[in-house]
Amino acid sequence: MRIFAIETSCDETGLALVAATGGLAAPKFKVLKSVVNSQIAAHRPFGGVVPNIAKREHLKNLPLALAELGMSERDFTNVDLIAVTSGPGLEPALWAGITFARELAKKYKKPITGVNHLEGHLYSFLLAKETGSSNYQIPNTKSLFPAIGLIVSGGHTTLLRLKDMRTRKKLGETRDDAVGEAFDKVARILGLPYPGGPEVERVAAKGNPKAIAFPRPMIKDKSYDFSYSGLKTAVLYYVKGLGYSHSGLESTGGRKNLNLIPKTLLADIAASFQAAALEPLVAKTMRAVEEFSARSVFLSGGVAANKPLRKLLETAAKKRGAKLYVADFKHNTDNAVMIAVGGYINFLRGKRLPLVAKGNMNV
Ligand code: KG4
Ligand code: ZN
């Protein structure tokens, strides 16, 4: 079937046309068209995403993205299902996508379904194996289970146990900030631009991860929960302790301008923070792999684009006889292809979500 998908939960406007075939045992996807229009420039002056600006940008970008996608009338006639993110996310932004989806469904008389953004991320592991140009297939999904799913994004840090393609249970999640949020906030403390994740990774590559002993939050805790607000604060106090402060975060109060911070020190702080942020993710995922004798780890969400995280999880999983599955880089951060994938899997599972924006939808 052909799925036209829309993603507007945060600061990316994503549209995609995906051909999906096969059952739950061997779902196959061909990405026919895909566009992601980022709003980074609109939010950058504020150092983070502003909900009403996000909505305004989505309303402006959706028709532009549709034109860029190059959907002909015939392409729309051949669509079997329209899938749109209905949550979690910023409600004004979600509504922009839902309204746009409804208009298209009405115009072309197509069935429409809501998709849980987190399920889109989670099932993006089905895009881990490219079998030719824009064709993705995992031939025997049954062989992957039991599996552990780790969703790491700007809004979520969630660990799940998956029995099969239908059944899953949440093991734990962050008790405060998400790991992506910590990357973004630390980037701000260090005077790096938004979004912070890729910037911190870039700067950290030249630093020593053992230079500063930042805390590894909740690493020894028996639960599968995470916590990132204390780590962010530890970085803030460390930077302040050196006599530096970044005016973007708070008044400099006569402190040295952060731009003067030596490059090697900046790299060491970024690398040490990154190591402290990633270690609990790897440790708890591996504890779950051992406890539930998992054969696979499904890594997803924007932070899954972090190369050190991919490497650490891959190596640690391999040691325990498990395999890491993660989508290619373009499908880690928000996009509509993963919403088509989530929509298709729920279609196969007989699940259809209502077309109502739900900011705090869970997985
Ligand atoms: O999934 P996503 O695009 O949006 C949400 O659903 O939140 O994730 C965005 C988050 C941001 O916090 C961003 O800084 C982080 O993913 N991120 C990264 C990297 N690329 C994106 N974090 C660490 N390393 C990266 N390379
Ligand atoms: Zn996301």
Side-chain angles (χ1 to χ4, degrees):
M1 70 191 289
R2 291 203 169 197
I3 304 177
F4 181 75
I6 300 164
E7 156 62 36
T8 64
S9 68
C10 193
D11 58 346
E12 317 279 3
T13 311
L15 293 181
L17 180 66
V18 175
T21 50
L24 285 175
K28 195 171 168 180
F29 301 95
K30 181 164 179 63
V31 180
L32 301 170
K33 296 171 189 286
S34 173
V35 170
V36 178
N37 283 348
S38 175
Q39 307 178 356
I40 287 173
H43 298 286
R44 191 163 260 173
F46 305 94
V49 182
V50 184
N52 278 325
I53 294 182
K55 178 190 171 180
R56 188 194 71 199
E57 291 293 304
H58 285 307
L59 291 174
K60 192 179 83 192
N61 285 344
L62 279 165
L64 298 175
L66 188 63
E68 196 181 332
L69 202 66
M71 287 284 290
S72 65
E73 289 291 310
R74 204 189 139 143
D75 286 331
F76 267 118
T77 313
N78 291 334
V79 164
D80 300 294
L81 178 68
I82 295 180
V84 57
T85 307
S86 50
L90 306 166
E91 285 193 4
L94 290 165
W95 277 120
I98 292 173
T99 309
F100 188 73
R102 273 193 187 140
E103 282 163 10
L104 288 173
K106 196 170 161 206
K107 181 169 173 197
Y108 295 103
K109 300 190 177 57
K110 298 294 176 186
I112 179 168
T113 181
V115 175
N116 180 336
H117 180 85
L118 296 173
E119 287 190 322
H121 276 309
L122 180 63
Y123 290 116
S124 70
F125 76 86
L126 295 166
L127 304 169
K129 283 220 167 74
E130 194 161 5
T131 58
S133 138
S134 301
N135 277 299
Y136 299 89
Q137 185 178 28
I138 297 208
N140 177 12
T141 58
K142 277 195 186 123
S143 67
L144 307 181
F145 297 96
I148 300 299
L150 176 66
I151 308 174
V152 278
S153 69
H156 294 83
T157 307
T158 306
L159 198 63
L160 302 141
R161 172 190 176 190
L162 294 95
K163 193 168 151 250
D164 51 37
M165 288 292 284
R166 292 178 186 275
T167 325
R168 62 169 189 255
K169 190 175 176 282
K170 184 156 75 184
L171 295 173
E173 64 193 333
T174 183
R175 294 192 180 169
D176 41 58
D177 292 355
V179 60
E181 195 177 346
F183 269 87
D184 294 334
K185 286 179 175 169
V186 164
R188 234 173 120 173
I189 292 166
L190 298 179
L192 300 168
Y194 160 87
E199 287 293 322
V200 171
E201 181 184 348
R202 185 181 58 78
V203 174
K206 297 185 198 88
N208 172 10
K210 293 195 175 127
I212 306 143
F214 288 128
R216 270 66 175 155
M218 295 189 72
I219 200 160
K220 296 236 161 70
D221 187 90
K222 282 202 173 64
S223 76
Y224 282 113
D225 285 346
F226 303 94
S227 163
Y228 281 98
S229 102
L231 173 58
K232 164 211 70 192
T233 309
V235 177
L236 177 65
Y237 284 130
Y238 184 83
V239 171
K240 275 186 166 182
L242 293 173
Y244 295 101
S245 180
H246 176 53
S247 57
L249 193 75
E250 57 186 71
S251 150
T252 50
R255 289 166 194 274
K256 289 178 239 176
N257 186 319
L258 195 74
N259 291 332
L260 300 176
I261 199 167
K263 275 218 168 96
T264 50
L265 178 57
L266 193 72
D268 283 350
I269 300 171
S272 301
F273 156 74
Q274 182 171 260
L278 301 187
E279 236 182 81
L281 296 176
V282 179
K284 295 217 169 177
T285 305
M286 289 310 125
R287 214 173 77 207
V289 165
E290 286 172 7
E291 184 176 345
F292 302 108
S293 306
R295 297 159 95 176
S296 321
V297 172
F298 304 151
L299 171 66
S300 65
V303 185
N306 185 278
K307 287 190 250 8
L309 176 60
R310 293 163 85 111
K311 191 83 218 137
L312 287 169
L313 279 176
E314 189 180 17
T315 311
K318 204 169 170 189
K319 253 193 206 162
R320 290 160 180 86
K323 204 168 168 238
L324 176 72
Y325 289 83
V326 55
D328 46 7
F329 289 103
K330 60 179 175 292
H331 296 125
N332 296 145
T333 43
D334 292 349
N335 64 89
V337 174
M338 71 179 198
I339 300 306
V341 171
Y344 185 60
I345 296 306
N346 274 345
F347 167 81
L348 294 175
R349 291 163 82 206
K351 270 184 72 176
R352 207 153 153 175
L353 294 187
L355 287 174
V356 180
K358 245 180 109 181
N360 60 0
M361 193 184 286
N362 217 316
V363 70

